[in-house]
Amino acid sequence: MLDNMPRGTIVIEDLEIGMTRSLSKVVTDADIEMFAQVSTDRNPVHLDDAYARDTIFAGRIAHGMLTAGLVSAVIGEQLPGHGTVYLGQSLKFLGPVRPGDRVTAEVEVLAIDYAKRRVTLDTRCLVDGKRVLAGEATVLAPSGKFD
C-alpha cells in the first residue's frame, strides 16, 4: 500500500473541513480469494474466469466490499485514525474493480460536530482517475481531552 500520510491519530480538536487523506493499493487475485474466504462470498463473478466472461463485466471483478474496505483503512489508520469508531457509511458502486487495478481510496472531512465528536466524511475510490465508489461516512472521532 502507498499512503500519502503516516498512520496514527488526528484528534477532533485538530481536524479541519477539507482535510484529506488517501492510500493506493493494487488489488490482487490473492486479495480477492482471501476476501472470499473471510466473507464467505464465493460468487463466481469474483473467482471464476469462464463464468465471469459471460457477465455484464466481461471478466472477473473484486468484491465491492473489498474496495470499500480501503476506505475503512484510511479512516481507521489516517483520518481521523486510531481510536475512530464508525457510525455509518453510505456506498454507491459506480464501476468494477478488476484484479490488477490500482485503487486509490480518498477521504475528505465535510463537517465536524465538536460537541458530539461526530465527523462527516466524503469517501471515494478511484481507478485510473475514474470513480468506482462514492459515499459518505459518519464517525466518532477520538479526542485529546477524553482519550
Side-chain angles (χ1 to χ4, degrees):
M1 269 190 250
L2 304 173
D3 301 331
N4 73 340
M5 290 289 166
R7 290 167 172 12
T9 303
I10 303 172
V11 293
I12 195 163
E13 294 84 5
D14 294 333
L15 290 176
E16 298 174 9
I17 304 294
M19 191 176 276
T20 62
R21 296 294 184 271
S22 66
L23 66 76
S24 293
K25 179 185 184 346
V26 174
V27 175
T28 66
D29 288 324
D31 294 329
I32 294 168
E33 181 59 41
M34 284 188 288
F35 191 88
Q37 191 70 23
V38 169
S39 69
T40 72
D41 178 355
R42 301 199 56 84
N43 184 329
V45 75
H46 307 302
L47 303 169
D48 184 326
D49 286 314
Y51 176 90
R53 269 193 299 275
D54 293 332
T55 69
I56 61 169
F57 302 110
R60 287 189 311 115
I61 60 170
H63 302 74
M65 295 309 289
L66 188 158
T67 303
L70 299 177
V71 168
S72 178
V74 176
I75 291 171
E77 293 285 341
Q78 296 182 31
L79 185 65
H82 298 171
T84 301
V85 176
Y86 243 117
L87 299 176
Q89 172 79 58
S90 67
L91 295 170
K92 290 184 182 180
F93 298 99
L94 306 173
V97 172
R98 300 179 185 284
D101 281 350
R102 178 176 296 281
V103 178
T104 299
E106 301 176 341
V107 173
E108 180 178 354
V109 177
L110 295 177
I112 305 167
D113 181 338
Y114 293 99
K116 294 183 179 179
R117 294 174 50 191
R118 303 259 193 298
V119 181
T120 304
L121 304 162
D122 179 56
T123 59
R124 54 195 177 258
C125 290
L126 302 98
V127 172
D128 294 327
K130 180 181 176 188
R131 283 188 187 219
V132 295
L133 179 147
E136 190 173 282
T138 305
V139 300
L140 180 66
S143 170
K145 295 179 182 177
F146 304 108
D147 294 335

